[in-house]
Amino acid sequence: MSRLISELPYEIKLKAMRYSNVPNEDELAASFVWDKTNEGHDVWSEIYKGNYQPFYNYYSMKQTTPKQWCKKKGYNEYYVMIIEQYLNDIGK
């Protein structure tokens, strides 16, 4: 199964983009060596298969959308739009 970084939940997307050492590479399997990450190969392999729970278990976090994050911080819908656009732009 092909998994694109740009299609991942944003917490995972940001982490993958930090690890990426291939400019403009959107394919998760080709962008960095999974064994050399803090999470390890097993977590990234599950992410590649579409199972994000091992990542959230590793970091003991719940999946949060930009809208949920902005609501928690007290930001309005304008900021949700800005954050989503930013995440889309950096994922390209």
Side-chain angles (χ1 to χ4, degrees), residues 2-83:
S2 176
R3 188 57 79 180
L4 301 179
I5 293 173
S6 61
E7 295 175 350
L8 295 171
Y10 83 91
E11 295 97 344
I12 301 173
K13 179 191 305 187
L14 292 178
K15 184 64 75 169
M17 290 173 63
R18 285 189 204 122
Y19 286 135
S20 181
N21 52 18
V22 181
N24 301 318
E25 179 59 61
D26 196 31
E27 173 59 46
L28 182 60
S31 62
F32 58 95
V33 179
W34 298 349
D35 290 335
K36 295 183 179 181
T37 66
N38 295 332
E39 301 81 13
H41 184 272
D42 293 341
V43 171
W44 289 105
S45 178
E46 288 299 313
I47 291 169
Y48 187 80
K49 295 175 196 173
N51 179 12
Y52 308 131
Q53 196 57 49
F55 178 88
Y56 295 118
N57 291 347
Y58 180 85
Y59 286 104
S60 298
M61 62 171 39
K62 296 179 184 174
Q63 184 174 354
T64 306
T65 65
K67 187 172 186 171
Q68 291 168 330
W69 186 85
C70 286
K71 182 177 181 182
K72 181 179 176 184
K73 298 290 184 180
Y75 299 140
N76 63 28
E77 290 291 320
Y78 172 76
Y79 291 98
V80 174
M81 182 181 66
I82 297 297
I83 292 169

